Amino acid sequence: MSSAASAVQTPKTFAPRIFSGIQPSGGLTLGNYLGALKRFVEKQDEGIETIYCLVDLHAITVWQDPKVLRQQTREAAAGFIAAGIDPKRSILFNQSQVSAHAELGWIFNCVARMGWMSRMTQWKDKTAGKNAEAASLGLFAYPALMAADILAYHATMVPVGEDQRQHLELTRDIAIKFNNDYDVDFFPVVEPVIEGVATRVMSLRDGTKKMSKSDPSDQTRINLTDDADTIAAKIRKAKTDPKPLPDSIDGLKDRPEARNLVNIYAALAGHSVDQVIRDFAGAQFGTFKPALADLAVATLSPITAEMSRLMADAAEIDRILADGADRADALAQPILEQVFDITGMIRSRRKPSTAFQG
Ligand code: TYM
């Protein structure tokens, strides 16, 4: 396509398609559940085409014990299904089973610029105070592989928590640069879908830090595998301040721990923060925390129970992942073949039907 021709063409429209992923580098947390998983289920139930991926290639950007990684990948798959992902309606698979991710990731390593990668706050955070020279090259290139995850499917929408915003901006930049460099209108410019009251669930011990599966202290997070007593104990011991709950949202300003617990309550109950404030205005944490613990247990216990039931049959989980990977591969492979054509790779071993038609 000449640049004159591309200049007058209207941009291609892409069918709505959702892609998102979670690293199986630790157990799933309440942050993953409220910020991602619960919303993945909502998107599936809205009837949009949904593709969900356990990104095991991303997980090994920091060393993982192979046995534990396999276990955690199955556990995450069980968590998705237990939370309401239907592997017939959504595509659910692990990244390493679909080679298009790694292949397109390489192409994007050649599109993304070193400067873009060095400005990624997650790279800076993960290497802060440590020897960056000792970090893996994969950790540095991480966001290019993430762009490949999304763009290998021409996905248009990506539901994530707030911490992934910058990575999605980079995905947009990579798509735009690829389209410009090769003078094609090939990759969509994706929309981040960062919605709801729980896009940033904070640590139970420090309301200024994100709840994370990699935090050394288990007391900072609720895991989807925690039993009812553990959940209640963690909420009881969560850091708070001495004041009662305020009667307006403004009253949560400069009270990060109180705000976090109120947000968690709202997200679990499916209420607005306003509603929660109205219901608990003036209440002490001695009243609010048990109510939150009851709600958390009522919501999470059925998921935990279903997860452990599913985990008893590893072969069945592997079968579901294989089926998801076959369906994902069928979508990604023709797109990847077109990328190889666009970039000038000879593909004389493949069937002619997959060639790029400009
Ligand atoms: P990961 O595995 O850290 O987290 C998975 C999802 O959970 C969200 N999340 C949270 N949301 C709210 N509060 C929290 N405390 C919290 N912790 C985690 C994350 O925002 C994310 O949506 N790079 C990604 C994985 C990835 C991906 C992708 C995502 C790889 N390829 C392609 C989307 C599309 C990550 O490390 O997420």
Side-chain angles (χ1 to χ4, degrees):
M1 195 191 303
S2 77
S3 44
S6 62
V8 291
Q9 265 185 358
T10 48
K12 191 147 109 194
T13 48
F14 293 87
R17 182 178 274 172
I18 285 185
F19 181 96
S20 200
I22 290 190
Q23 289 197 69
S25 51
L28 295 174
T29 68
L30 182 66
N32 294 135
Y33 176 67
L34 294 176
L37 202 38
K38 187 165 186 277
R39 297 169 48 230
F40 296 173
V41 176
E42 286 161 11
K43 294 294 168 200
Q44 166 192 273
D45 294 347
E46 282 167 24
I48 309 171
E49 187 180 11
T50 41
I51 307 171
Y52 297 126
C53 184
L54 309 167
V55 293
D56 45 9
L57 296 174
H58 276 111
I60 60 161
T61 56
V62 289
W63 191 82
Q64 305 288 328
D65 180 318
K67 269 207 220 81
V68 177
L69 180 60
R70 257 190 295 275
Q71 165 80 6
Q72 283 171 177
T73 305
R74 291 192 182 112
E75 198 176 275
F80 270 62
I81 299 166
I85 295 297
D86 172 356
K88 292 208 176 61
R89 282 189 288 153
S90 290
I91 292 180
L92 175 64
F93 71 109
N94 60 309
Q95 188 186 28
S96 61
Q97 295 213 69
V98 178
S99 63
H101 293 249
E103 293 175 81
L104 186 58
W106 177 259
I107 305 246
F108 287 168
N109 284 346
C110 303
V111 173
R113 305 290 95 183
M114 295 283 284
W116 299 0
M117 299 312 215
S118 341
R119 283 191 286 279
M120 293 291 109
T121 50
Q122 290 213 347
W123 161 255
K124 290 198 267 184
D125 290 349
K126 284 191 175 159
T127 52
K130 296 188 203 133
N131 180 6
E133 304 256 318
S136 75
L137 187 54
L139 189 65
F140 190 66
Y142 181 113
L145 180 59
M146 180 162 160
D149 296 339
I150 298 163
L151 294 174
Y153 301 93
H154 279 178
T156 54
M157 289 174 285
V158 187
V160 284
E162 183 59 48
D163 61 338
Q164 298 300 315
R165 186 185 291 280
Q166 195 189 29
H167 286 158
L168 294 187
E169 277 160 14
L170 187 102
T171 301
R172 293 165 65 94
D173 289 343
I174 288 178
I176 292 168
K177 186 168 188 324
F178 181 96
N179 288 348
N180 283 339
D181 285 354
Y182 293 99
D183 195 14
V184 285
D185 186 9
F186 185 70
F187 283 122
V189 179
V190 295
E191 287 301 327
V193 183
I194 303 174
E195 295 167 341
V197 287
T199 55
R200 196 165 167 79
V201 177
M202 308 309 274
S203 156
L204 297 178
R205 287 307 174 93
D206 178 350
T208 64
K209 266 173 62 186
K210 188 182 78 167
M211 181 181 287
S212 162
K213 53 191 157 222
S214 57
D215 194 299
S217 163
D218 194 56
Q219 295 302 313
T220 59
R221 62 179 161 262
I222 291 170
N223 306 299
L224 287 199
T225 48
D226 286 344
D227 61 27
D229 289 347
T230 310
I231 294 175
K234 284 179 177 176
I235 291 177
R236 203 169 48 242
K237 288 192 220 133
K239 184 176 167 200
T240 44
D241 57 43
K243 288 190 276 180
L245 284 171
D247 54 13
S248 75
I249 293 188
D250 283 351
L252 288 173
K253 213 169 144 260
D254 302 323
R255 298 179 66 189
E257 284 83 17
R259 167 177 283 277
N260 187 37
L261 295 186
V262 169
N263 281 352
I264 292 174
Y265 191 103
L268 283 170
H271 292 163
S272 66
V273 173
D274 245 340
Q275 170 82 56
V276 179
I277 292 285
R278 254 181 277 134
D279 291 349
F280 288 94
Q284 300 291 340
F285 282 103
T287 309
F288 182 69
K289 280 179 167 180
L292 176 59
D294 286 350
L295 177 61
V297 167
T299 313
L300 301 180
S301 288
I303 299 177
T304 311
E306 180 62 3
M307 262 173 94
S308 66
R309 194 189 66 78
L310 293 164
M311 281 301 283
D313 190 352
E316 173 61 6
I317 294 180
D318 290 1
R319 197 200 54 72
I320 289 170
L321 293 175
D323 175 66
D326 282 345
R327 285 151 62 209
D329 195 54
L331 295 175
Q333 204 52 43
I335 293 175
L336 181 69
E337 284 299 337
Q338 295 181 59
V339 173
F340 283 136
D341 281 341
I342 292 169
T343 50
M345 311 282 151
I346 293 173
R347 305 293 284 174
S348 48
R349 289 175 64 224
R350 72 142 179 240
K351 298 181 204 86
S353 60
T354 55
F356 180 57
Q357 302 300 333

